[in-house]
Amino acid sequence: MREDVLEIGGAKKRITIHDVAAAAGVSISTASKALNNNGRMGDETRERVKRVARDIGFRPNALARGLLSKRSFTIGLLTNDTYGRFTLPVMAGVSEALVDHGVSVFLCAIEDDPALGQIHVEAMLDKQVDGIIATGKRLDRRLPVDLSNLPVPVVYAFTEGTPDSVTFRSDDAHGATLAVEWLQSIGRRRIVHITGPKDFFSVRERADAYSAAAGEGEQVLYGVWSESWGHEAIDLLWRRPGDKPDAFFCGNDQIARGTVDALRERGIRVPDDVSVIGFDNWEIVAAQTRPPLTTVDMELKELGRQAGLTVLALAEGRPVEPGVRKLPCRLVVRQSCGGKTLRE
């Protein structure tokens, strides 16, 4: 038997607010107010109604609830990250934050197509979403669609927002500092940073933090987001005369994996001779690297959770200060640094 259906005389009947009121010994009006957290009544009565509703499996009718509150209890998630590398963990956090509030989330992928983006925005508005969360594949680019002056609140997560918006992003400088300080704590002193294209804001922020933590004179090698660049960077460094690095902080996990492979091909042991740290904690790459890769986690799921709670607050008319919120990163230590166990 489904939890929201009663078996009565061999027939099945959907549980309604009338059943909740009867089981709790209150009026239908009182039951409705208790379940919607409004009206005046004692705390004991409100909790008893909620408890009875849970026990008998009552599920409020979404359409009726929406008509009463003038809300649809849906949130749109708009992204140009069609691969899902960054969007999927953000969406998981949004959904986790909103499920207990009875709010559903639906995803629209727009690639980098402004016309497609406008179509999806108009479809969201036609569905009367309570708000929109915009997310993408880099911090310093806006989605290719105008989200200003919409009749619903918009919150940005892992993409550039408008000046008066609420924007959530990972604190890349914090993540880079965590990586360098960890390498220093295990005795590494000649740390090189191999990273992606310099025109990325996140690349520059991580490189600046690396330089501040590692000290003047340390090397930053800019390239592309690929394993092959990790290989190429090692070849470049080993052709140069002088002392070789004893640690690498890489701009993403793909570069780090290429770095580890190139070192192994040269007979250099990771982590015995050289330590390597990546960035992103992309499980499909980090966990499958040999040895498994120590890396910085941008906490994208938490970022999505915060964005979800914020768009909900805005939809409910609660005041929220605009601005950029930086969320701290987390270092996940695996075997590529040596001598430590995984810290999750």
Side-chain angles (χ1 to χ4, degrees), residues 70-71 118 121-122 124-132 146-154 311 314-316:
K70 296 183 173 58
R71 290 177 53 198
Q118 190 59 43
V121 170
E122 290 173 1
M124 288 179 176
L125 297 178
D126 287 343
K127 293 179 183 295
Q128 298 183 318
V129 294
D130 294 330
I132 294 173
D146 185 9
L147 299 177
S148 60
N149 301 315
L150 294 183
V152 297
V154 179
V311 80
L314 290 168
E316 293 175 346

Side-chain angles (χ1 to χ4, degrees), residues 229-277:
W229 166 230
H231 271 271
E232 184 181 338
I234 293 302
D235 290 341
L236 176 66
L237 289 167
W238 255 255
R239 285 199 303 268
R240 294 178 179 175
D243 292 336
K244 304 307 179 190
D246 62 4
F248 293 96
F249 165 45
C250 299
N252 75 352
D253 292 340
Q254 291 167 285
I255 294 172
R257 183 167 174 166
T259 297
V260 170
D261 289 347
L263 290 168
R264 182 173 56 249
E265 290 166 8
R266 290 178 173 274
I268 299 162
R269 299 170 299 170
V270 176
D272 297 338
D273 302 322
V274 175
S275 295
V276 179
I277 291 182

